[in-house]
Every structure is written in structure tokens, then in C-alpha cells.
Amino acid sequence: MKKSFFLLGFCLLFAGVSFADFNAEMQSYIEELKNEAKAENADFSDFDAQRGAMIFSTKHRGKNDTLISCQSCHSEDLKASSVNVFTNKTLEPLAPSVNPKRLSDVKEVKKWLKRNFKDVFLREGSAQEKGDVLYYLIAQ
């Protein structure tokens, strides 16, 4: 019973994420990603924060053959500071709700998505994966 309430709450948490939650510059980038995702997969309809949460939390053999996920550096609580496991540098909270600078500069977002996907997955993320992760992060 508790499990089903948790799952329902989790689903409702992400139900309200939308394109409009991003600033104008990021909305343009999201549109670009949507166009790329549609070109990669004709069945693509929209990004999904739940898929983004799975991408963010699932561990993979990544950089230096280390078993890591995005949470390895950014932690489970995206509203708190964390420590990069490779550099030992403190990372400011990733959640835009507590750190308004996050997800506001497209150049920075592109740079870190590319770098972090390569660290965790040893490849660049697809347009759909990037969009899913961005929808997950904006919901935080």
C-alpha cells in the first residue's frame, strides 16, 4: 500500500513539468532538442521527467571504469551542495528551485550535459536523454 502511494506521488511530482518552466533561452534549446529527438525517433512526443530521473540515478561503468551515476557527484538531494567524486570540488545545488543560476545559460547547460554524459555513459547523450534529464532537473 505504501509503495503504491509513493509511486503515485512520484508520478504526480513530475506531471506538471513543461516547456514553460524554462527561461526563453532555454526554451529555444528545448525546442532544438525536441526537433533532434523527433528526427532520431518518429514516435517521439515529448520529454519525460520520470525517464530523466531514471537516467540521472542509474549507475553505469563510466570514467576510469568507475561504477557511477549522475547522483555520484550531484547526490540524491539536488537542493543541497555535493562533492564531485573525481575532482573533490564542491558543487553548488543543481536544483533550479534553490539555485536560480542552474539551467539558465544554454552554453553552460550544453557544456555540462556533454561532459557529464561522457563521464557517466562514456558517450554523448541523445537529444531525448538530454531533454528528459532537463525536465527532471527543472522539476527539482
Side-chain angles (χ1 to χ4, degrees), residues 27-137:
Q27 285 181 12
S28 257
Y29 179 51
I30 292 293
E31 272 304 311
E32 286 176 37
L33 288 174
K34 285 182 178 184
N35 291 333
E36 286 178 41
K38 189 69 171 168
E40 292 169 1
N41 175 6
D43 294 331
F44 172 79
S45 61
D46 200 0
F47 299 123
D48 184 287
Q50 287 179 286
R51 283 192 311 254
M54 292 299 296
I55 292 166
F56 201 84
S57 63
T58 304
K59 291 189 176 200
H60 300 269
R61 284 266 166 228
K63 183 177 176 180
N64 302 333
D65 201 36
T66 307
L67 188 61
I68 58 171
S69 70
C70 301
Q71 289 178 342
S72 298
C73 292
H74 292 287
S75 82
E76 288 182 36
D77 181 4
L78 299 180
K79 294 179 180 180
S81 295
S82 55
V83 177
N84 183 298
V85 296
F86 298 112
T87 65
N88 208 32
K89 290 183 182 176
T90 299
L91 303 174
E92 295 301 315
L94 192 52
S97 61
V98 297
N99 186 352
K101 292 184 289 185
R102 294 296 193 167
L103 305 186
S104 63
D105 181 318
V106 171
K107 186 177 178 182
E108 284 291 304
V109 169
K110 286 180 177 182
K111 174 179 106 176
W112 287 109
L113 280 173
K114 181 177 181 177
R115 188 176 294 178
N116 291 339
F117 263 95
K118 284 187 174 183
D119 284 352
V120 175
F121 298 94
L122 301 178
R123 63 174 174 78
E124 286 193 42
S126 69
Q128 182 167 341
E129 289 170 325
K130 291 174 186 176
D132 289 345
V133 167
L134 290 172
Y135 269 39
Y136 167 65
L137 295 175

Side-chain angles (χ1 to χ4, degrees), residues 12-30:
L12 290 174
L13 174 68
F14 297 119
V17 177
S18 76
F19 176 79
D21 293 325
F22 295 95
N23 68 25
E25 184 183 13
M26 283 297 295
Q27 285 181 12
S28 257
Y29 179 51
I30 292 293

